[in-house]
Amino acid sequence: MLILQNDRHREHAGRHEMYRGRLVECVEVPERAELVLGELHRRGFARVERPAVRADMTVVESVHDLRYLAFLRQAWDHWIALDSANASFDILPSVWPNQGLRRDAPTQNFSAQVGRYAFDAGSPITRGTWDACLAGAASAIEAARRVASGSERGALVVTRPPGHHAGRDFFGGYCFLNNAALAAQTLRDAGHARVAILDVDYHHGNGTQSIFYRRADVLTVSIHGDPATEYPFYLGYADERGEGEGEGFNLNRPLPKGTAFDAWRRELDIALEAVARFGASALVVALGVDAYKADPISGFLLDSADFTTIGSLIASARLPTVFVLEGGYAVAEMGINVANVAEGFSLAG
Ligand code: SP5
Ligand code: ZN
């Protein structure tokens, strides 16, 4: 299996997120990707590459909104222009166009822009956020190209920040550019008529769902903590099935907090059946490992060994597959959990 890494991920290092009225240290930290790469190396996954090319902006601009991209690219410069002392602080929103306010209001005020594009106060933008995200996008696109050409059966993109909460024109949940969506769109552009995205992160992939909600060519399936009690709360329910042409092409499998692997695994069977019935010729896996029992912000009870089983069950779909790293905050164990998925997938080959 090919491993692609995002060399510039370290440039995104948020300091604080808003939590229960306080600024607390970010859980989405650079060590996450380093520990995954370290563990893959120890296990003998020798083919680790760094994409030499910059992200193909045609793909990025087909998934994301142009003004949103311009905002992200310029955010730090605008932040510093407000006050050079801002360099010591991350960008977080403090006002949002909710409830009867105009998302399209004709204001260029910086705070107003941040609130327009953010859906939570937990996803700081830092000096290097844009460069890190763009390098992640390049890795996801390159992985999809290698898999689409048939030169690889599977690829794993070790990247951060994650992507599945990011939509066409919004960020949140530590996500800014939707790497899984970029991989899926690349597979579509390379000639795969039907692409499925399977999201196994603990949190519902609201951004991915919203990007493809009206499309019949990309099936989105997510297994996650029930949004009635779990982040992101406002999307991810079982009755969301797609809209217009996309109706029937979104599947949500919410599970209660406290779910262990026997029940989780039954949902994976259901998800993989949906992928097969859809007739996907390629698969993207939004690979969060925060379903792990010791994850500090999540509530499922999966063991490390269960991730090996997940990898082999996904391999049993017999599809060209791109895995994209999403969440997972039990930092010490996440390398093991991601490497277990990779090993389960590779050995089942
Ligand atoms: C990609 C992904 O897994 N995003 C998850 C975003 C969840 N954000 C809200 C979690 C709130 C808890 N954060 C505060 C930690 C204090 N110890
Ligand atoms: Zn998550």
Side-chain angles (χ1 to χ4, degrees):
M1 162 176 241
L2 172 70
I3 314 291
L4 277 165
Q5 80 178 76
N6 163 10
D7 244 358
R8 304 190 72 176
H9 77 85
R10 277 175 229 91
E11 295 174 38
H12 175 71
R15 283 167 270 206
H16 298 112
E17 61 180 276
M18 182 67 84
Y19 181 66
R20 296 188 180 167
R22 283 153 285 196
L23 290 174
V24 301
E25 283 185 13
C26 290
V27 295
E28 200 291 286
V29 291
E31 290 71 29
R32 298 175 62 250
E34 301 300 330
L35 287 167
V36 170
L37 289 166
E39 184 63 21
L40 288 166
H41 183 74
R42 255 192 301 284
R43 304 267 187 108
F45 285 90
R47 290 193 308 126
V48 181
E49 296 183 20
R50 320 165 140 77
V53 291
R54 284 182 65 80
D56 180 342
M57 291 312 286
T58 317
V59 183
V60 178
E61 290 170 2
S62 71
V63 166
H64 290 285
D65 173 79
L66 284 178
R67 275 177 295 197
Y68 171 61
L69 293 170
F71 162 78
L72 278 183
R73 180 163 41 80
Q74 299 164 355
W76 190 260
D77 288 346
H78 287 167
W79 177 239
I80 297 304
L82 284 179
D83 182 346
S84 60
N86 281 349
S88 308
F89 303 94
D90 298 340
I91 303 170
L92 285 174
S94 55
V95 59
W96 287 268
N98 283 343
Q99 272 106 240
L101 301 174
R102 284 176 58 179
R103 185 166 159 79
D104 68 341
T107 171
Q108 295 303 315
N109 176 279
F110 185 74
S111 294
Q113 300 267 41
V114 181
R116 170 182 289 149
Y117 293 121
F119 74 86
D120 72 12
S123 312
I125 298 175
T126 72
R127 183 193 304 278
T129 298
W130 173 250
D131 288 335
C133 289
L134 215 53
S139 307
I141 292 166
E142 174 66 10
R145 288 193 173 145
R146 298 280 283 275
V147 163
S149 72
S151 64
E152 306 287 343
R153 183 175 77 97
L156 166 62
V157 187
V158 180
T159 192
R160 54 170 294 285
H164 75 146
H165 294 298
R168 188 168 179 78
D169 64 354
F170 58 82
F171 69 96
Y174 321 144
C175 302
F176 303 89
L177 296 183
N178 195 313
N179 301 308
L182 293 167
Q185 187 60 50
T186 302
L187 289 161
R188 283 287 298 104
D189 295 343
H192 284 277
R194 295 185 149 222
V195 176
I197 303 178
L198 169 64
D199 190 325
V200 299
D201 187 282
Y202 179 75
H203 306 97
H204 174 247
N206 62 292
T208 317
Q209 170 171 317
S210 73
I211 287 167
F212 297 109
Y213 208 57
R214 297 185 144 273
R215 286 172 56 170
D217 58 333
V218 177
L219 173 74
T220 44
V221 184
S222 181
I223 304 167
H224 50 267
D226 186 345
T229 62
E230 305 306 293
Y231 184 94
F233 309 115
Y234 307 113
L235 209 68
Y237 297 85
D239 64 353
E240 297 155 14
R241 302 191 59 257
E243 244 169 43
E245 283 183 15
E247 183 159 5
F249 299 100
N250 183 74
L251 178 63
N252 284 330
R253 301 297 297 183
L255 292 169
K257 195 175 174 137
T259 295
F261 190 58
D262 53 346
W264 196 97
R265 186 191 164 139
R266 284 195 289 276
E267 297 301 320
L268 182 57
D269 289 337
I270 291 166
L272 290 171
E273 274 164 32
V275 170
R277 211 175 322 117
F278 171 65
S281 63
L283 178 65
V284 176
V285 179
L287 180 61
V289 291
D290 38 12
Y292 179 56
K293 63 184 179 188
D295 195 90
I297 68 167
S298 310
F300 289 162
L301 301 174
L302 274 58
D303 282 313
S304 288
D306 298 331
F307 288 97
T308 313
T309 308
I310 292 172
S312 57
L313 289 170
I314 290 171
S316 71
R318 302 233 150 256
L319 291 172
T321 302
V322 179
F323 293 87
V324 178
L325 187 63
E326 300 284 357
Y329 308 98
V331 174
E333 298 99 327
M334 82 171 281
I336 292 165
N337 295 340
V338 173
N340 282 359
V341 174
E343 220 165 71
F345 180 87
S346 302
L347 297 179

